[in-house]
Amino acid sequence: MAGKLSLLFSLLLLFSIHAWGQATSDPALAAANADNLVKKDLEVAIGISEFEQLDFDFSPKFSVARPELLNITARPGKREIEFNGVKPGTTTVTIRDNAGDIRLQYTIVVTATGSSSIVSELRELIGDVEGLRIVIKGGKIVIEGEIVVPDDIGKVSKVLVNYPSVLTLIELSPQTQRVIARKMSDELAKNNLKDVTVRVVNKTYWLEGVVSNDEKKKLALIIAKAYLPPKLQTLAQEGGGRFAAPEQPDILDFIAVNEKKEPQPAPKMVKITAQFVELSKDYGRVFAFKWAPLMGQDASQISIGQSASGNVTSTSSGTLSATISNLFPKLNAAKSAGYARVIQSAMVVTQNEKQAKIAKSTSIPFAVGTGETQRPQNAQIGINLSIEPRILEQENILMAVNLSVNLTAGTTSTGNPITTNNSVETNLIVKSKESAVIGGVVQSVSKTDYDKDDPAPINAQAGGLPVPPLFRLLRSKNYATSKSQYVMFLTPEIIESASAATEEIRKKFRRRQ
């Protein structure tokens, strides 16, 4: 029995120690029971800032029961806290020191007076405007600050029309004015007025610089006025009385006009690439069958048998002899085909509305005639391009083109070269960097011959006269087709200078710098 009581007493002691440890392990509860905890009541009217000065270093992380009722601004360096009411109601604010102990607890009642209700309305209407504050000072509702976004001026003005008793202490932010001045300068530079600058002096925009004529001066003023925000008077102008500022225009014009002839801009350049492509194909097929035996006469004999040449002969010792030639049929079959592709390319760079010419030619010598009448001649092959471009609107280019290409097309039976000429002369409009087909010809020839190809022509004669065959059987078919076509392409491109095409030429010729 004594052992059971001892065990029960030990369990109760352990439970008590554990409960005491839990109670003392909560720092918030331990701090609440400390002697240095201070509780204060505070009333904050909407629109009126309340400042509290503390005598210890505090942590800026507050515990607010209802944060929607109150805005708190902490200044740990000054040991100061600013309370601003947002909505009527009651809330608590707990403040800790840097060690994390609770040192101060406020019970704050947010109230709404006649003025504070107006402040609440204004905050809902224009509270999101950057740079403005709505407060109550000296019993009056005051809107003060600097507007950062110029478009907000119209919004604030529209709202304040319904609140004539509100004191406005609003001005345009100097930083915003500098941003507007920079935008004016950028737009002037885009309109070729790079010598005109804009700066802000005493809240007024000064236009300074030099232009070549009065029209450009007027253009600079029009551009600058287009960037002006809605009119916002300074506080001195709005107040009037003995401190009223003199009325000044928004823009002061200090642009000087220097009448001089402007240098003409460098003419634009046009790069033209012409390409000539020719394709040719030919195909031929022939088949021939011929059987035409001949009998040759001789006065000495007739013999029948096979001679050394393979012919069958008949021989007699009397007055008649004959030889039968071409006793066996002759066959002939053959096919032939060919394909050729020729590419010629030319590129030239010229000024706008200036004619350009480029040519490449090769001379092939050959002889005409024989003996004393023989004389030398030359066949010219190559490419010739003559073109005059004119730049139109939207990068369109009008071109007068004359392009001719001479190529070899084989040789004659005597070895003389055969040349073909392809040429185009036209006027057309092509957009820069786009290609157009400026001309082309397609030629197709198909021919079939029947019984015209003799695989073994016979020229046998007797007594000066041709010997007719015993009989003649000839069957042949010759089919030949040829196709040729050429196309000419043209690609113009507007460039700033002739050097812009250098890199492309290097790539074509694989030339390293």
Side-chain angles (χ1 to χ4, degrees), residues 240-263:
R242 61 185 300 181
F243 296 104
E247 184 68 26
Q248 290 185 355
D250 296 324
I251 297 177
L252 291 179
D253 178 16
F254 297 104
I255 300 175
V257 179
N258 185 9
E259 294 285 352
K260 64 178 181 179
K261 187 176 181 181
E262 295 184 355

Side-chain angles (χ1 to χ4, degrees), residues 32 380 406:
Q380 299 291 334
N406 295 329

Side-chain angles (χ1 to χ4, degrees), residues 135-150:
V135 295
I136 298 177
K137 291 184 179 180
K140 293 184 178 181
I141 302 173
V142 180
I143 300 180
E144 60 184 6
E146 295 176 342
I147 292 182
V148 177
V149 182

Side-chain angles (χ1 to χ4, degrees), residues 294 458-469:
L294 300 176
I458 300 175
N459 295 320
Q461 294 183 354
L465 297 175
V467 178

Side-chain angles (χ1 to χ4, degrees), residues 107-363:
T107 300
I108 299 177
V109 179
V110 182
T111 60
T113 62
S115 298
S116 62
S117 62
I118 297 176
V119 171
S120 180
E121 293 177 5
L122 291 174
R123 285 179 176 172
E124 290 183 2
L125 294 172
I126 59 175
D128 57 342
V129 175
E130 185 178 357
L132 296 187
R133 292 193 306 161
I134 304 171
V135 295
I136 298 177
K137 291 184 179 180
K140 293 184 178 181
I141 302 173
V142 180
I143 300 180
E144 60 184 6
E146 295 176 342
I147 292 182
V148 177
V149 182
D151 292 340
D152 290 337
I153 296 175
K155 177 181 179 181
V156 175
S157 300
K158 188 72 173 178
V159 172
L160 293 181
V161 169
N162 299 317
Y163 298 91
S165 61
V166 176
L167 178 61
T168 57
L169 303 176
I170 303 174
E171 292 194 77
L172 190 63
S173 171
Q175 179 62 28
T176 303
Q177 287 186 299
R178 287 191 287 270
V179 172
I180 294 173
R182 186 165 58 251
K183 290 183 178 180
M184 290 180 181
S185 299
D186 293 342
E187 191 64 32
L188 290 171
K190 290 180 182 178
N191 286 271
N192 202 21
L193 297 171
K194 298 181 180 179
D195 294 330
V196 180
T197 60
V198 184
R199 62 187 179 116
V200 180
V201 179
N202 196 20
K203 301 186 183 300
T204 303
Y205 299 96
W206 285 20
L207 268 64
E208 301 171 317
V210 180
V211 294
S212 58
N213 52 57
D214 291 330
E215 294 299 326
K216 289 192 173 182
K217 181 176 181 178
K218 293 178 181 178
L219 177 61
L221 289 172
I222 293 173
I223 293 173
K225 289 180 180 179
Y227 279 88
L228 284 177
K231 181 70 175 179
L232 183 63
Q233 289 184 333
T234 63
L235 295 178
Q237 291 172 336
E238 186 179 3
R242 61 185 300 181
F243 296 104
E247 184 68 26
Q248 290 185 355
D250 296 324
I251 297 177
L252 291 179
D253 178 16
F254 297 104
I255 300 175
V257 179
N258 185 9
E259 294 285 352
K260 64 178 181 179
K261 187 176 181 181
E262 295 184 355
Q264 294 293 331
K268 292 186 177 181
M269 309 294 291
V270 181
K271 180 183 71 175
I272 302 106
T273 304
Q275 290 182 323
F276 169 84
V277 180
E278 182 181 43
L279 300 175
S280 62
K281 296 180 181 180
D282 61 83
Y283 175 76
R285 184 180 62 188
V286 61
F287 175 80
F289 173 86
K290 180 181 180 182
W291 191 15
L294 300 176
M295 180 175 288
Q297 295 181 353
D298 193 326
S300 61
Q301 62 182 356
I302 295 177
S303 62
I304 298 177
Q306 185 174 1
S307 65
S309 61
N311 297 324
V312 177
T313 63
S314 61
T315 305
S316 69
S317 59
T319 59
L320 178 64
S321 68
T323 300
I324 302 176
S325 303
N326 297 327
L327 182 62
F328 301 104
K330 301 293 183 180
L331 298 177
N332 186 17
K335 293 182 181 180
S336 63
Y339 171 82
R341 182 185 184 192
V342 179
I343 298 178
Q344 294 277 352
S345 179
M347 185 181 71
V348 65
V349 179
T350 182
Q351 293 183 11
N352 183 32
E353 300 184 0
K354 296 291 184 180
Q355 188 182 45
K357 295 182 179 180
I358 188 171
K360 174 188 174 296
S361 63
T362 302
S363 179

